Short mmCIF file of all heavy atoms in Angstrom, two decimals:
data_model
loop_
_atom_site.label_atom_id
_atom_site.label_comp_id
_atom_site.label_asym_id
_atom_site.label_seq_id
_atom_site.Cartn_x
_atom_site.Cartn_y
_atom_site.Cartn_z
N TRP A 137 -14.41 22.47 15.00
CA TRP A 137 -13.09 21.84 15.05
C TRP A 137 -11.95 22.83 14.84
O TRP A 137 -10.78 22.46 14.94
CB TRP A 137 -12.99 20.71 14.01
CG TRP A 137 -14.06 19.69 14.19
CD1 TRP A 137 -15.15 19.49 13.40
CD2 TRP A 137 -14.16 18.75 15.25
NE1 TRP A 137 -15.92 18.48 13.91
CE2 TRP A 137 -15.33 18.00 15.05
CE3 TRP A 137 -13.37 18.46 16.37
CZ2 TRP A 137 -15.73 16.99 15.92
CZ3 TRP A 137 -13.77 17.45 17.23
CH2 TRP A 137 -14.94 16.73 17.00
N PHE A 138 -12.26 24.09 14.54
CA PHE A 138 -11.23 25.09 14.22
C PHE A 138 -10.20 25.26 15.34
O PHE A 138 -9.04 25.52 15.07
CB PHE A 138 -11.85 26.44 13.89
CG PHE A 138 -12.52 26.52 12.55
CD1 PHE A 138 -13.26 27.63 12.21
CD2 PHE A 138 -12.43 25.49 11.64
CE1 PHE A 138 -13.88 27.71 10.97
CE2 PHE A 138 -13.05 25.55 10.41
CZ PHE A 138 -13.78 26.67 10.07
N GLY A 139 -10.61 25.15 16.58
CA GLY A 139 -9.68 25.37 17.68
C GLY A 139 -8.75 24.21 17.96
O GLY A 139 -7.74 24.38 18.63
N ASN A 140 -9.08 23.01 17.45
CA ASN A 140 -8.28 21.84 17.81
C ASN A 140 -7.67 21.08 16.64
O ASN A 140 -6.71 20.35 16.84
CB ASN A 140 -9.13 20.87 18.63
CG ASN A 140 -9.46 21.43 19.99
OD1 ASN A 140 -10.40 22.17 20.13
ND2 ASN A 140 -8.64 21.10 20.98
N LEU A 141 -8.21 21.20 15.45
CA LEU A 141 -7.67 20.47 14.30
C LEU A 141 -7.08 21.45 13.29
O LEU A 141 -7.77 22.35 12.82
CB LEU A 141 -8.76 19.62 13.65
CG LEU A 141 -9.30 18.47 14.50
CD1 LEU A 141 -10.46 17.79 13.79
CD2 LEU A 141 -8.20 17.47 14.82
N ILE A 142 -5.80 21.26 12.98
CA ILE A 142 -5.10 22.16 12.06
C ILE A 142 -4.64 21.35 10.85
O ILE A 142 -3.90 20.37 10.98
CB ILE A 142 -3.90 22.83 12.75
CG1 ILE A 142 -4.38 23.66 13.93
CG2 ILE A 142 -3.11 23.66 11.75
CD1 ILE A 142 -3.29 24.25 14.76
N GLU A 143 -5.09 21.78 9.70
CA GLU A 143 -4.74 21.11 8.45
C GLU A 143 -3.46 21.74 7.89
O GLU A 143 -3.35 22.96 7.82
CB GLU A 143 -5.90 21.29 7.47
CG GLU A 143 -5.75 20.59 6.17
CD GLU A 143 -6.99 20.74 5.30
OE1 GLU A 143 -7.71 21.76 5.42
OE2 GLU A 143 -7.22 19.85 4.48
N VAL A 144 -2.50 20.90 7.52
CA VAL A 144 -1.23 21.39 6.99
C VAL A 144 -1.01 20.72 5.64
O VAL A 144 -1.09 19.49 5.52
CB VAL A 144 -0.05 21.06 7.94
CG1 VAL A 144 1.24 21.64 7.40
CG2 VAL A 144 -0.33 21.56 9.35
N GLY A 145 -0.70 21.51 4.64
CA GLY A 145 -0.45 20.97 3.30
C GLY A 145 -1.72 20.90 2.47
O GLY A 145 -2.83 21.07 2.97
N ARG A 146 -1.53 20.65 1.20
CA ARG A 146 -2.65 20.55 0.27
C ARG A 146 -3.29 19.16 0.34
O ARG A 146 -2.59 18.16 0.49
CB ARG A 146 -2.18 20.80 -1.16
CG ARG A 146 -1.69 22.20 -1.43
CD ARG A 146 -1.33 22.41 -2.91
NE ARG A 146 -0.89 21.23 -3.61
CZ ARG A 146 0.38 20.84 -3.71
NH1 ARG A 146 1.33 21.52 -3.14
NH2 ARG A 146 0.69 19.74 -4.38
N PRO A 147 -4.60 19.08 0.18
CA PRO A 147 -5.27 17.78 0.25
C PRO A 147 -4.79 16.78 -0.81
O PRO A 147 -4.83 15.58 -0.59
CB PRO A 147 -6.74 18.12 0.02
CG PRO A 147 -6.87 19.54 0.43
CD PRO A 147 -5.54 20.18 0.11
N ASP A 148 -4.30 17.27 -1.94
CA ASP A 148 -3.87 16.36 -3.01
C ASP A 148 -2.37 16.05 -2.97
O ASP A 148 -1.86 15.35 -3.83
CB ASP A 148 -4.23 16.95 -4.37
CG ASP A 148 -3.53 18.28 -4.65
OD1 ASP A 148 -3.04 18.93 -3.70
OD2 ASP A 148 -3.45 18.67 -5.83
N ASP A 149 -1.67 16.54 -1.95
CA ASP A 149 -0.22 16.33 -1.85
C ASP A 149 0.07 14.96 -1.23
O ASP A 149 -0.32 14.70 -0.10
CB ASP A 149 0.40 17.44 -1.01
CG ASP A 149 1.92 17.36 -0.95
OD1 ASP A 149 2.52 16.51 -1.65
OD2 ASP A 149 2.51 18.14 -0.19
N LEU A 150 0.77 14.11 -1.97
CA LEU A 150 1.13 12.78 -1.48
C LEU A 150 2.53 12.73 -0.88
O LEU A 150 2.97 11.70 -0.40
CB LEU A 150 1.01 11.75 -2.61
CG LEU A 150 -0.40 11.60 -3.18
CD1 LEU A 150 -0.41 10.62 -4.34
CD2 LEU A 150 -1.39 11.20 -2.11
N GLY A 151 3.26 13.82 -0.92
CA GLY A 151 4.54 13.92 -0.25
C GLY A 151 5.73 13.43 -1.05
O GLY A 151 5.61 12.68 -2.02
N LEU A 152 6.89 13.88 -0.60
CA LEU A 152 8.15 13.55 -1.28
C LEU A 152 8.61 12.12 -1.03
O LEU A 152 9.37 11.57 -1.82
CB LEU A 152 9.24 14.54 -0.85
CG LEU A 152 8.98 15.99 -1.26
CD1 LEU A 152 10.02 16.91 -0.63
CD2 LEU A 152 8.98 16.13 -2.77
N TYR A 153 8.17 11.50 0.08
CA TYR A 153 8.55 10.10 0.32
C TYR A 153 8.06 9.20 -0.80
O TYR A 153 8.73 8.23 -1.16
CB TYR A 153 7.97 9.60 1.64
CG TYR A 153 8.74 9.99 2.87
CD1 TYR A 153 8.10 10.16 4.08
CD2 TYR A 153 10.12 10.17 2.85
CE1 TYR A 153 8.79 10.50 5.22
CE2 TYR A 153 10.81 10.53 3.99
CZ TYR A 153 10.15 10.68 5.17
OH TYR A 153 10.84 11.01 6.30
N LEU A 154 6.91 9.50 -1.34
CA LEU A 154 6.38 8.67 -2.42
C LEU A 154 7.31 8.74 -3.64
O LEU A 154 7.60 7.72 -4.26
CB LEU A 154 4.97 9.13 -2.78
CG LEU A 154 4.15 8.16 -3.61
CD1 LEU A 154 4.03 6.81 -2.92
CD2 LEU A 154 2.78 8.73 -3.88
N LYS A 155 7.82 9.94 -3.94
CA LYS A 155 8.76 10.09 -5.04
C LYS A 155 10.10 9.41 -4.73
O LYS A 155 10.69 8.75 -5.58
CB LYS A 155 9.01 11.56 -5.35
CG LYS A 155 7.81 12.28 -5.92
CD LYS A 155 8.11 13.74 -6.13
CE LYS A 155 6.88 14.47 -6.64
NZ LYS A 155 7.11 15.90 -6.80
N ALA A 156 10.57 9.57 -3.50
CA ALA A 156 11.86 8.99 -3.11
C ALA A 156 11.82 7.48 -3.05
O ALA A 156 12.85 6.82 -3.17
CB ALA A 156 12.29 9.55 -1.76
#
Side-chain angles (χ1 to χ4, degrees):
W137 303 108
F138 287 172
N140 292 84
L141 294 175
I142 299 174
E143 184 176 28
V144 183
R146 294 185 331 269
D148 62 342
D149 184 6
L150 298 177
L152 296 173
Y153 279 150
L154 196 57
K155 292 177 183 177

